[in-house]
Amino acid sequence: MHVPDGFINAPTSAVTGVVAAGAIAVSLRGARRELDDRTAPLAGLVAAFIFAVQMLNFPVAAGTSGHLLGGALAAILVGPYTGVLCVSVVLLMQGILFADGGLTALGVNITDMAIVTTVVSYAVFRGLVKVLPRGRRSVTVASFVAAVLSVPAAAVAFTLVYWIGGTTDVSIGKVATAMIGVHVLIGIGEAVITALTVGAVVAVRPDLVHGARDLRQKLRLRVHGELVDVPAAEEAAPVAARASRRTLWVTGLVTSLVLAGFVSFYASANPDGLEKVAADKGIDKKAEEHASADSPLADYGVKDVSNARLSGGLAGVIGVGATVVAGSAVFWAVRRRRTGADVSPTAVENV
């Protein structure tokens, strides 16, 4: 659903840019409460994983493909504020390095793919986990439903933005019907990927899944007639806990590299949902060439590498590497600001 330059007029693009900037500013503050020394590295990995899986277009119907948006996955794994930042980092890398999603439309894309999907999915997820039986299976089920609904919600958001500032005269009813219809199908693929990923992480380290934190309860033992909290696993065995986190991070990074560097070659070549609707309904009549069209990595290939498999694979690996570095830098910076904010002047004086 990457919106190119020229689909939306300048005033509307500017307004969505302001909305996106405001949401990122709020998310930077909110992420301070979500990130700690355990989850900050995971957030960078989540961004890289979303980048990798977005390269895997899967067929849906009538010559159309879809790919992960990632808002639900990010929100459930690392929190809604951090989730907005994760998807925003991915969109920024794609727009600048790979000419995927217009630069003037960056505000539209962040609003649509980062903000709407994250807010909608996390609201649905939190509502479901409150009414479903307490357990890991409920987290997976809630993840599936939240992800399903987040994609057509993004399609509705794009339709509204197009209704306000579209550059072509196309019936909004036809656009809405086509966009929502195809993205309901894409949402099923999104839900499968999200549920499988969340379920896998919950199975090995539920304490690292933001959406599963309510499942953790402190174990208490009665000692000499008094209830005493048993130290958490992180506190009782910090070395083992760090090793487990490191294993999870390395496994996730290797998986992302394999998906982007090898599996992406077998992705569907059909146009994605927005591309198909734009071509069928005439939305793309005023589409503009991307400002980074001459980038060495434009269209997910390495310039001057003639072998298509090698070119795409190298581009995918470079993209994963750039995203994990950029994402990790952002989240560690946010984490450090939180640490600094936690140190009050009074505490410093007392030291």
Side-chain angles (χ1 to χ4, degrees):
M1 204 183 292
H2 295 75
V3 179
D5 296 316
F7 276 29
I8 307 298
N9 63 31
T12 306
S13 296
V15 171
T16 57
V18 172
V19 171
I24 289 174
V26 171
S27 297
L28 285 169
R29 294 181 62 86
R32 296 181 195 174
R33 300 190 297 271
E34 295 173 344
L35 295 171
D36 54 33
D37 289 339
R38 299 175 305 144
T39 55
L42 179 63
L45 176 62
V46 168
F49 182 77
I50 289 173
F51 175 90
V53 180
Q54 283 198 2
M55 293 184 67
L56 308 181
N57 281 47
F58 49 85
V60 284
T64 308
S65 70
H67 62 71
L68 181 81
L69 298 186
L73 178 62
I76 295 165
L77 286 179
V78 293
Y81 294 108
T82 308
V84 170
L85 298 178
C86 280
V87 181
S88 297
V89 168
V90 173
L91 293 171
L92 190 61
M93 292 296 102
Q94 291 170 332
I96 294 175
L97 296 179
F98 298 93
D100 189 9
L103 296 183
T104 62
L106 187 59
V108 176
N109 285 321
I110 290 177
T111 300
D112 195 26
M113 296 176 65
I115 301 170
V116 172
T117 58
T118 301
V119 171
V120 170
S121 63
Y122 197 71
V124 172
F125 175 82
R126 294 305 306 169
L128 288 175
V129 294
K130 289 181 179 179
V131 299
L132 291 172
R134 186 182 180 88
R136 296 177 183 178
R137 182 173 298 178
S138 295
V139 172
T140 303
V141 171
S143 300
F144 184 94
V145 177
V148 164
L149 296 178
S150 70
V151 179
V156 171
F158 168 79
T159 303
L160 291 175
V161 171
Y162 179 79
W163 179 48
I164 296 170
T167 55
T168 55
D169 185 16
V170 179
S171 167
I172 192 64
K174 293 181 179 179
V175 174
T177 300
M179 283 292 294
I180 296 171
V182 71
H183 284 91
V184 166
L185 299 177
I186 294 173
I188 296 174
E190 174 105 8
V192 171
I193 296 169
T194 300
L196 288 175
T197 305
V198 170
V201 180
V202 166
V204 294
R205 286 299 301 268
D207 58 306
L208 295 181
V209 178
H210 183 88
R213 289 183 175 181
D214 291 345
L215 298 181
R216 292 183 291 162
Q217 291 181 330
K218 283 202 170 186
L219 179 63
R220 310 189 77 190
L221 297 178
R222 188 174 295 279
V223 179
H224 303 303
E226 296 183 1
L227 289 175
V228 179
D229 289 336
V230 175
E234 291 275 337
E235 299 169 355
V239 175
R242 285 196 297 270
S244 176
R245 292 201 307 271
R246 191 179 302 112
T247 300
L248 177 63
W249 195 90
V250 171
T251 302
L253 180 60
V254 170
T255 301
S256 300
L257 291 170
V258 170
L259 291 175
F262 177 73
V263 181
S264 62
F265 182 77
Y266 301 97
S268 173
N270 291 332
D272 67 22
L274 177 59
E275 291 172 335
K276 178 68 172 174
V277 172
D280 289 349
K281 305 302 178 183
I283 296 176
D284 59 355
K285 290 180 180 178
K286 295 187 178 181
E288 300 172 2
E289 185 178 29
H290 199 285
S292 299
D294 294 331
S295 165
L297 298 172
D299 297 323
Y300 299 93
V302 177
K303 191 175 182 180
D304 298 329
V305 176
S306 57
N307 184 288
R309 185 191 297 270
L310 180 60
S311 178
L314 286 175
V317 169
I318 293 170
V320 168
T323 304
V324 76
V325 169
S328 297
V330 169
F331 299 125
W332 274 116
V334 172
R335 169 59 183 154
R336 287 174 63 87
R337 286 180 64 85
R338 170 186 170 177
T339 302
D342 288 343
V343 180
S344 65
T346 303
V348 173
E349 290 174 4
N350 291 336
V351 175

